[in-house]
Amino acid sequence: MRITFFIACFAAAFSFTALGQDPAPPKLGTPGALIISTAFDKDAPKTRKASIAGWSAGIGVWWIEKGALHGDEVVEDHHPSSCTWRFEATDLILTAQFRLGAAEHIAFGCRDTVPPNLHLGRTFVTEDAIWVTRMSGISKTTKSEKLAELKTKLDPEAWHSITIEIIGDHYRATVDGHVVEARHERYKDAKGLVALISKGQGAQFKNVSIWHAKPKG
């Protein structure tokens, strides 16, 4: 019964045909317990450094309108906008939909469990490219290395789907069928936080789901 419930929750995340392309099925791992699934379909006013649909709007300004979470960078923050969810996991699978709008880029960040959750890795998406990084540190100590990149055109006004798998040392991001993947020992570290990130204004997110995962095979 428990397994059936998880399968039903996972299948529900792949039923967005009316809103854009479906998220790609995972290739590296099998979804286990659902950590969080948020549609962002209930309006919420603009907020800074507060809770929104259970997520933490930590940097920038965030609000929910017309069935989507909006996140705009604020100049005085000197940092892209960021909205986070805390948890603890070894391996994970994330699916979501996003629209770039006028934003310079959006990103899905992952951080570890070392207080205050050090950077671990990130997927970046622009109109022209998708890339993944491995990361460490936090704030001024942050270090980042681009490990893989794919040049491709994405319509900034269309909705796009993404599936991210971090299984062992393997990181795989699939955006509308475009795959970018890399391997690094850093990805094996425990995961403690996922962040929705926007550089600039106009980005939107919806139907964000995160699962614990197990390697296939």
Side-chain angles (χ1 to χ4, degrees):
M1 188 73 175
R2 186 179 177 85
I3 294 175
T4 302
F5 173 73
F6 292 150
I7 292 174
C9 288
F10 192 70
F14 292 86
S15 60
F16 308 143
T17 52
L19 302 173
Q21 296 195 47
D22 293 347
K27 296 294 185 181
L28 306 179
T30 301
L34 180 67
I35 295 170
I36 182 63
S37 184
T38 310
F40 295 113
D41 56 356
K42 296 182 180 179
D43 286 2
K46 291 184 177 181
T47 187
R48 282 171 57 81
K49 299 186 183 302
S51 176
I52 184 164
W55 290 66
S56 296
I59 305 174
V61 58
W62 293 86
W63 71 100
I64 303 173
E65 183 179 8
K66 295 181 180 178
L69 175 68
H70 299 245
D72 282 357
E73 183 179 13
V74 176
V75 175
E76 56 264 33
D77 288 343
H78 304 291
H79 193 288
S81 60
S82 176
C83 191
T84 63
W85 188 274
R86 292 179 181 271
F87 58 93
E88 289 192 13
T90 302
D91 299 316
L92 65 82
I93 295 171
L94 177 149
T95 62
Q97 288 188 299
F98 66 88
R99 183 157 60 188
L100 283 164
E104 182 179 327
H105 72 244
I106 62 97
F108 294 84
C110 184
R111 286 154 60 180
D112 65 20
T113 57
V114 178
N117 298 103
L118 306 180
H119 294 294
L120 188 150
R122 191 173 292 186
T123 301
F124 289 84
V125 183
T126 71
E127 293 184 40
D128 304 307
I130 306 160
W131 67 93
V132 300
T133 66
R134 69 94 180 172
M135 302 178 72
S136 62
I138 195 75
S139 189
K140 293 182 179 180
T141 68
T142 299
K143 293 182 179 180
S144 179
E145 178 186 7
K146 184 188 293 185
L147 298 183
E149 182 178 23
L150 175 68
K151 297 291 187 181
T152 187
K153 292 290 186 180
L154 295 176
D155 182 352
E157 296 306 323
W159 282 100
H160 304 279
S161 68
I162 187 167
T163 300
I164 294 173
E165 303 171 73
I166 311 177
I167 311 290
D169 70 347
H170 201 163
Y171 190 119
R172 177 185 171 98
T174 306
V175 178
D176 296 347
H178 304 293
V179 178
V180 182
E181 54 189 328
R183 290 184 179 271
H184 197 281
E185 287 294 307
R186 176 65 171 144
Y187 297 143
K188 292 182 178 180
D189 293 341
K191 290 81 182 169
L193 182 149
V194 158
L196 310 177
I197 300 161
S198 174
K199 174 67 175 174
Q201 288 77 41
Q204 299 175 48
F205 303 85
K206 63 171 61 172
N207 300 316
V208 181
S209 299
I210 309 168
W211 289 265
H212 292 278
K214 294 182 179 180
K216 287 188 175 180

